[in-house]
Amino acid sequence: MPIVHIDELLKAQIDYLVVGGGTSGLVVASRLSEDPEVTVAVIEAGSYHKNVEEVDVPGLANKAFNNPLCDWIFLSTPQAHANNQVVYLPRGKGLGGSSLLNLLGLSRGSKADFEALEALGNPGWGWDEIVRYTKRSETLVPLKDNHTCFRAHPSIHHPGPIVKSYSPWYSPLQEPVIQALTTLGVPINFDPANGNNVGTNTGLCTIDPSNATRSYSASAYYEPFSSRPNLLVLTNALVSKVALAQDDDGLQRAIGADLIVDGKTFQLRGVRKEVILSAGTFQTPPILELSGIGNPALLKEHNIPVLVDLPGVGENLQDHTLTFLVMETDSTLEGLDNLRDPAFMQAQRELYKEQKGILASIACQTFSYVPASTVTDQGTIRRWQEETVKNQRLPISLEKQYDIMRPWLANSQEAQFELLALPGHFFRPMSTPELGKKYFSFALSLLHPLSRGSVHIKSTNPEDPPAIDPNYFGHPTDLDMLTEALKFNLKVFDVEPMKSATVAPVLPSKNTIASGGDALKEYVKETVGGEFHPLGTASMLPRVDGGVVDSNLKVYGTSNLRVIDCSILPLEISAHLQSVAYAIGEKVCANSFHVRRVLCIILMIVKGADIIKSAASILL
């Protein structure tokens, strides 16, 4: 059904209510609505950005950032361990969530990342299961011709709604940067999607080459099915809380939600089966807290009745901690900086009509996943391992995470850093690119940070943004690791063939590079940010370990409230999150909802229609 009005939604008999039409939320809504016997409703706080070029045109993706129509434009609290920096934290606003806003890279974590999920107490979340549902979400469009750096193997890429492909345009520095990284000990990894992502790859991206547009949750999981009469979508509606009622067994049952539309508050009630929170890492915890689920001390501070004592809500926040570097390069080389020239931009717009050129392409093209052993010596790695426990009284959940992460530091087959190559000036505003000059940048991130942050409400006003504290460098070893990786990354421009193409350092400056040590650490603190891959604030862990949801993603203390988004991941993965966000939605729908419907059908056949009515009320 096309997007509905609030009055239509309030009159509907809803089986499943999905709060948040984002990357995972639309997967859930699409899969559930395959059953014509159930009605699925989606409430999304943003709009549907259909035919908006900042969303659809790959080469214009950066223009959606800081656009209040597409981006929540969250800001962190001042970062105490990073010179009190207030850090920009974008999140997608609208149908598709952050899949409408990201820079279109699509990558998979390592096998160890997902085996760690099982080790933390989540059966059924290992590599084999995750990759099974990752395949279900993606379709690979292979290249028509061979290329030394493009060799995705069809056997590990199966058909699904999201279209992925290789970029049709590449910087002339694409192969030189790969050669330089190879010289520095980072091998080429032709297809990192098989569970071992260490090495340099030419990244796959969510571009549909048939029309050179972004393939994302709204275009793939919603648009083709928007005419379904049992799929109701309400946009521009902010959910303030989930309505709960206590069951006879003492659990809280989700029966609906309160929402704000055009400044007016509405109460939606009578949800028959489940309420599913898919609001994302920054917005799922505030909805839980405003609903009375969270840390009792925080809820009482805001005079919110405590319905479920769950202190893990909003805790365990992680992101890939990022810094960057920028070098001026040969001015004759074509790159993203050329787009500042109006004539060049117009020429690219003409090429785009043929699905060619920079606008049809991904901005960041070369992805290098680098182990700590490539960056530094064994003595330093042993010190980092020791510092994961030194002088700290760790909560049991973090101690378990560190026990898993510690061996990864010394494992040459586990990536600790990502080097993300950008054939142009990096997007941060610390330096203004000069017209006519060309640049090459790296975004450099720490994949498994030791620091943990939080997301919590600041008030009972649901329209107030939450207090987001990534706590960058709260564990000082993170700063040391990222600084060492920066030193390594700078070497790329000192070896051929990149050395011949490099003119001068821009960020960090030549003097900062020459000073080394503390000067580089200060630079990292001044430029710190996230790689826009936050997770962990509604962690899938045992309740005694600070968990918020169980391995079926049901919120502890409730009978029918789930969280289905990346906030459930308890430990950062060594990849971008888009792929796993789709897999989470696919997996839970396949394993939880559909299986139970099959059980009901079996019971109906065996026991008869009268008995099934009572059985279905329990199962569903």
Side-chain angles (χ1 to χ4, degrees):
M1 179 177 290
I3 292 171
V4 301
H5 187 271
I6 179 61
D7 292 339
E8 295 176 76
L9 192 69
L10 294 175
K11 293 175 184 176
Q13 291 187 325
I14 297 168
D15 293 294
Y16 294 99
L17 176 62
V18 181
V19 178
T23 311
S24 300
L26 289 183
V27 176
V28 172
S30 178
R31 292 305 187 189
L32 290 177
S33 63
E34 289 174 356
D35 181 352
E37 299 301 314
V38 301
T39 297
V40 181
V42 179
I43 301 176
E44 167 55 42
S47 303
Y48 182 21
H49 304 296
K50 188 176 181 180
N51 300 323
V52 173
E53 71 170 15
E54 293 92 329
V55 173
D56 289 345
V57 179
L60 299 178
N62 65 307
K63 293 186 179 297
F65 290 92
N66 275 303
N67 178 343
L69 296 177
C70 304
D71 183 1
W72 284 98
I73 317 178
F74 290 122
L75 298 174
S76 76
T77 60
Q79 293 301 284
H81 307 286
N83 298 343
N84 288 318
Q85 299 290 325
V86 174
V87 177
Y88 166 55
L89 302 168
R91 290 285 86 192
K93 184 179 183 181
L95 286 181
S98 291
S99 71
L100 73 85
L101 187 69
N102 64 32
L103 293 175
L104 298 97
L106 195 73
S107 55
R108 297 179 186 173
S110 74
K111 182 176 181 179
D113 289 331
F114 298 106
E115 298 304 316
L117 296 186
E118 283 204 310
L120 288 168
N122 301 298
W125 285 84
W127 166 257
D128 290 340
E129 276 288 288
I130 292 293
V131 78
R132 173 185 175 191
Y133 292 106
T134 301
K135 291 177 180 179
R136 191 181 184 197
S137 70
E138 305 168 352
T139 290
L140 171 68
V141 180
L143 286 173
K144 295 179 180 179
D145 53 355
N146 292 323
H147 190 289
T148 55
C149 300
F150 309 82
R151 293 186 192 170
H153 197 284
S155 68
I156 54 175
H157 302 276
H158 284 254
I162 297 297
V163 180
K164 60 181 182 179
S165 62
Y166 286 112
S167 188
W169 173 88
Y170 286 92
S171 160
L173 289 178
Q174 165 78 356
E175 292 202 33
V177 77
I178 291 173
Q179 291 175 40
L181 284 162
T182 303
T183 299
L184 293 171
V186 185
I188 295 175
N189 187 339
F190 293 108
D191 194 344
N194 63 359
N196 181 0
N197 60 4
V198 167
T200 300
N201 70 86
T202 298
L204 287 163
C205 51
T206 50
I207 297 176
D208 184 343
S210 69
N211 55 16
T213 61
R214 178 193 295 266
S215 179
Y216 69 115
S217 192
S219 67
Y221 280 96
Y222 170 66
E223 182 61 32
F225 315 109
S226 59
S227 62
R228 285 178 181 165
N230 64 331
L231 176 58
L232 312 178
V233 176
L234 176 67
T235 57
N236 299 301
L238 179 72
V239 169
S240 57
K241 70 175 185 178
V242 175
L244 299 166
Q246 188 166 312
D247 279 345
D248 292 339
D249 56 7
L251 296 175
Q252 293 293 328
R253 180 172 181 81
I255 58 173
D258 290 1
L259 57 153
I260 300 170
V261 181
D262 294 330
K264 297 179 182 179
T265 299
F266 298 88
Q267 293 184 334
L268 188 157
R269 298 291 185 269
V271 173
R272 297 187 290 192
K273 298 188 186 302
E274 295 203 8
V275 174
I276 297 146
L277 287 184
S278 293
T281 296
F282 293 159
Q283 288 159 293
T284 285
I287 294 174
L288 288 171
E289 290 172 340
L290 291 171
S291 306
I293 300 173
N295 189 321
L298 176 70
L299 301 185
K300 290 175 182 177
E301 178 185 333
H302 293 285
N303 296 314
I304 299 172
V306 180
L307 300 182
V308 181
D309 180 343
L310 213 52
V313 171
E315 297 297 319
N316 199 39
L317 172 64
Q318 299 155 63
D319 193 357
H320 294 150
T321 310
L322 178 143
T323 187
F324 60 94
L325 59 88
V326 181
M327 292 282 174
E328 183 185 348
T329 56
D330 184 342
S331 63
T332 66
L333 298 173
E334 184 178 87
L336 301 181
D337 298 305
N338 291 89
L339 294 175
R340 296 195 301 273
D341 179 350
F344 185 88
M345 172 63 89
Q346 184 56 40
Q348 289 298 313
R349 285 188 176 277
E350 292 301 314
L351 274 176
Y352 181 70
K353 295 175 183 178
E354 304 174 32
Q355 294 84 50
K356 298 177 181 178
I358 295 177
L359 297 185
S361 306
I362 188 173
C364 302
Q365 302 164 344
T366 308
F367 300 74
S368 293
Y369 292 95
V370 183
S373 57
T374 302
V375 166
T376 191
D377 59 82
Q378 290 301 312
T380 300
I381 291 172
R382 283 193 295 272
R383 174 169 58 81
W384 290 345
Q385 290 176 313
E386 292 167 0
E387 288 172 352
T388 62
V389 294
K390 187 173 66 176
N391 298 325
Q392 294 193 58
R393 293 182 178 179
L394 300 176
I396 186 64
S397 61
L398 191 52
E399 184 176 324
K400 290 178 179 179
Q401 291 179 38
Y402 284 0
D403 285 345
I404 290 170
M405 296 164 64
R406 198 175 296 114
W408 290 350
L409 284 166
N411 190 336
S412 63
Q413 298 304 306
E414 294 301 326
Q416 188 66 18
F417 307 99
E418 181 186 22
L419 313 183
L420 184 57
L422 178 76
H425 197 289
F426 195 63
F427 304 133
R428 297 290 170 89
M430 291 188 63
S431 172
T432 303
E434 296 182 39
L435 190 63
K437 289 188 175 182
K438 305 294 174 56
Y439 304 89
F440 197 93
S441 307
F442 274 95
L444 164 65
S445 66
L446 177 62
L447 295 173
H448 296 292
L450 299 169
S451 304
R452 297 292 182 269
S454 63
V455 178
H456 294 295
I457 55 171
K458 292 188 291 189
S459 75
T460 55
N461 182 352
E463 297 182 294
D464 283 349
I468 305 172
D469 181 10
N471 192 30
Y472 297 125
F473 310 134
H475 195 301
T477 303
D478 287 348
L479 177 59
D480 194 35
M481 287 194 285
L482 199 53
T483 303
E484 286 301 305
L486 175 61
K487 294 176 184 177
F488 173 82
N489 201 169
L490 287 166
K491 294 177 183 178
V492 170
F493 299 94
D494 285 335
V495 298
E496 296 295 355
M498 285 299 291
K499 185 175 182 179
S500 296
T502 302
V503 175
V506 178
L507 291 170
S509 68
K510 186 176 181 179
N511 288 340
T512 300
I513 294 170
S515 298
D518 291 341
L520 286 174
K521 281 189 177 181
E522 282 302 306
Y523 171 80
V524 170
K525 287 194 285 186
E526 289 291 329
T527 56
V528 70
E531 201 178 4
F532 315 152
H533 303 149
L535 52 73
T537 56
S539 285
M540 178 178 59
L541 290 169
R543 191 170 185 174
V544 295
D545 291 348
V548 176
V549 299
D550 63 19
S551 58
N552 291 315
L553 306 192
K554 190 173 290 184
V555 176
Y556 290 115
T558 76
S559 60
N560 69 333
L561 176 61
R562 294 182 201 254
V563 175
I564 304 180
D565 59 39
C566 284
S567 69
I568 64 98
L569 295 171
L571 191 60
E572 192 61 85
I573 67 170
S574 57
H576 298 206
L577 293 188
Q578 182 178 195
S579 180
V580 71
Y582 293 125
I584 289 169
E586 291 280 9
K587 172 178 164 54
V588 178
C589 285
N591 286 3
S592 298
F593 303 112
H594 292 178
V595 167
R596 287 184 294 169
R597 282 200 291 275
V598 170
L599 287 174
C600 279
I601 292 170
I602 294 171
L603 280 172
M604 183 179 292
I605 294 170
V606 174
K607 298 291 186 179
D610 290 335
I611 295 176
I612 188 59
K613 290 180 181 178
S614 59
S617 66
I618 297 170
L619 288 169
L620 298 179

